[in-house]
């Protein structure tokens, strides 16, 4: 019986696994409550146009404000929520909150700012992602071109034909589409082109050391060139130093996101960041950031 065999398996866990299992168990129980009580917050990380240095958007990154454990990063609970299916409900909340935020930024005068939202594969296979997006846009009064949906290569590899249809319809609705963590999966650029994505987000794994590691630089340069040939935009994430940004500019990468520009900020700090940027002094002000 499941419980008994569960206990048997349990005995073989070493201490570290045991701790992880306990933590996972505690978190998965807590998640149901977190969804009900809306214990999540979105933090926002700026994205800039490399040539003009203008703010063009921000990525929404979820955190869980746990009453006892404090701020929990997404890598600790998103995989659990994906396994349990709770990601569908969380994803709806994320989309709605993100749409409300982008509206508030537009009200501050940044009318071209796009918000990027991460989507999980489960939201394509279990939830009705099209309907969720359509309804959220309608209720928040946000136009589709103000949101960018970040897909991973794994979304696209899963159940390809079915997903292809959904992705295409999101595109037809007017949403911007990007491929997150590009270069770490197995999809070819030619294949991605069929999904009518707009942007490739080059994974931090290649960006991080590209100013010191020639191989990484070559990989990044090649991705940019291939993207250009296919008419796709590129954004590099994980930029932590000026040398890397300079190199990306040299290789004609379009957009940039990383700690060098700014860390993810909570709603209030991001508003202040926008206001400082409008006064023209955002780069001289260090706004308080993520406490993760
Ligand atoms: P991601 O979508 O690839 O997001 C980028 C991650 O890199 C973020 O981590 C961000 O804080 C971090 N980052 C940005 N710039 C730098 C940098 O210069 N250096 C370093 N070392 N890190 C940088 P975060 O916020 O912990 O998110 C981790 C992952 O969790 C995300 O990776 C994404 O896959 C997932 N995630 C976050 N929010 C959501 C969400 O609302 N829904 C879903 N399904 N997944 C989400
Ligand atoms: Mg992302
Ligand atoms: Mg990424
Ligand atoms: Mg973009």
């Amino acid at each position: 019986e499941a419980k008994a065999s569960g206990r048997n398996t349990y005995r073989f866990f070493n201490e570290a696994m045991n701790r992880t299992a306990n933590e996972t168990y505690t978190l998965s129980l807590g998640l149901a409550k977190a969804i009900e009580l809306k214990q999540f917050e979105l933090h926002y990380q700026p994205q800039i146009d490399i040539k003009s240095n203008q703010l063009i958007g921000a990525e929404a990154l979820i955190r869980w404000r746990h009453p006892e454990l404090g701020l929990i990063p997404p890598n600790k609970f998103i995989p659990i929520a994906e396994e349990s299916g709770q990601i569908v409900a969380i994803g709806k909340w994320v989309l709605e909150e993100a749409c409300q935020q982008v509206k508030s930024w537009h009200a501050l005068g940044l009318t071209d700012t796009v918000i990027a939202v991460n989507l999980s594969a489960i939201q394509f296979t279990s939830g009705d992602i099209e309907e969720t997006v359509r309804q959220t846009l309608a209720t928040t009064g946000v136009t589709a071109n103000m949101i960018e949906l970040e897909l991973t290569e794994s979304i696209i590899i899963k159940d390809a034909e079915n997903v292809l249809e959904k992705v295409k319809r999101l595109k037809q609705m007017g949403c911007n589409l990007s491929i997150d963590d590009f270069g770490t999966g197995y999809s070819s650029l030619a294949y991605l082109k069929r999904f009518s994505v707009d942007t490739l987000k080059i994974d931090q794994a290649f960006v991080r050391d590209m100013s010191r590691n020639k191989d990484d630089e070559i990989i990044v340069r090649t991705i940019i060139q291939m993207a250009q040939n296919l008419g796709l935009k590129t954004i590099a994430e994980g930029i932590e130093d000026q040398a890397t940004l300079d190199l990306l500019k040299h290789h004609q990468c379009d957009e940039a996101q990383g700690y060098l520009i700014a860390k993810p900020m909570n709603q209030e700090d991001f508003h202040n960041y926008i206001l400082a940027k409008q006064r023209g002094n955002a780069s001289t002000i260090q706004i308080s950031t993520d406490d993760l």
Side-chain angles (χ1 to χ4, degrees):
E1 181 227 356
K3 212 168 182 185
S5 75
R7 241 189 318 266
N8 273 337
T9 318
Y10 200 69
R11 240 191 280 141
F12 296 104
F13 277 20
N14 64 36
E15 223 178 278
M17 283 169 79
N18 204 339
R19 220 179 300 120
T20 311
N22 278 334
E23 195 182 61
T24 302
Y25 183 65
T26 309
L27 291 179
S28 65
L29 283 185
L31 267 179
K33 207 164 186 186
I35 293 168
E36 191 192 320
L37 300 177
K38 299 195 165 49
Q39 289 174 344
F40 303 106
E41 29 185 275
L42 293 183
H43 287 202
Y44 307 93
Q45 188 177 31
Q47 301 177 329
I48 60 159
D49 178 273
I50 293 181
K51 256 195 220 143
S52 68
N53 204 31
Q54 290 293 306
L55 181 72
I56 46 161
E59 178 175 11
L61 296 158
I62 196 170
R63 281 92 180 81
W64 176 6
R65 180 70 65 184
H66 193 286
E68 284 112 43
L69 304 173
L71 206 60
I72 304 180
N75 291 336
K76 278 233 168 121
F77 68 89
I78 291 291
I80 299 169
E82 285 175 337
E83 199 149 321
S84 65
Q86 288 164 312
I87 190 65
V88 175
I90 294 172
K92 277 186 187 162
W93 177 84
V94 168
L95 201 62
E96 179 163 352
E97 180 74 12
C99 285
Q100 272 157 6
Q101 279 308 302
V102 77
K103 253 181 95 174
S104 77
W105 304 340
H106 290 190
L108 291 177
L110 268 85
T111 49
D112 293 330
T113 315
V114 172
I115 188 148
V117 175
N118 292 284
L119 296 183
S120 293
I122 314 294
Q123 291 176 270
F124 279 84
T125 50
S126 299
D128 188 344
I129 187 68
E130 283 172 72
E131 192 50 29
T132 300
V133 170
R134 206 185 302 278
Q135 267 182 21
T136 308
L137 291 173
T139 55
T140 55
V142 168
T143 52
N145 64 333
M146 291 303 144
I147 63 171
E148 176 163 309
L149 303 173
E150 294 196 1
L151 320 174
T152 58
E153 290 176 81
S154 67
I155 292 183
I156 274 172
I157 289 160
K158 226 177 203 152
D159 190 11
E161 283 313 312
N162 183 22
V163 173
L164 178 64
E165 278 314 306
K166 291 183 183 179
V167 173
K168 270 188 185 158
R169 283 199 290 269
L170 288 167
K171 180 68 204 164
Q172 281 160 7
M173 242 184 256
C175 300
N176 302 289
L177 302 176
S178 64
I179 300 295
D180 206 353
D181 307 332
F182 184 77
T184 57
Y186 298 96
S187 52
S188 71
L189 273 176
Y191 180 62
L192 288 179
K193 185 72 182 157
R194 289 181 56 209
F195 286 84
S196 49
V197 300
D198 307 282
T199 307
L200 300 182
K201 273 194 104 162
I202 306 167
D203 194 77
Q204 339 195 349
F206 309 116
V207 176
R208 197 180 297 129
D209 294 322
M210 67 178 283
S211 67
R212 293 170 293 272
N213 181 319
K214 195 71 193 165
D215 287 344
D216 287 346
E217 185 190 348
I218 291 169
I219 291 170
V220 171
R221 192 189 69 204
T222 306
I223 292 174
I224 295 168
Q225 284 172 352
M226 288 194 295
Q228 279 179 347
N229 291 339
L230 288 166
L232 302 174
K233 273 195 306 183
T234 46
I235 178 165
E237 62 180 343
I239 301 158
E240 296 191 359
D241 55 53
Q242 190 62 45
T244 304
L245 185 60
D246 292 343
L247 203 52
L248 287 162
K249 187 175 189 173
H250 173 74
H251 291 309
Q252 296 175 11
C253 183
D254 299 300
E255 301 170 5
Q257 178 183 343
Y259 292 172
L260 174 72
I261 295 133
K263 282 192 168 180
M265 293 167 256
N266 67 27
Q267 171 185 328
E268 191 190 339
D269 289 339
F270 193 78
H271 271 197
N272 290 332
Y273 176 85
I274 289 180
L275 295 172
K277 195 111 182 138
Q278 283 174 328
R279 289 195 301 268
N281 56 1
S283 58
T284 60
I285 288 185
Q286 198 44 55
I287 286 163
S288 71
T289 49
D290 238 1
D291 42 350
L292 279 183

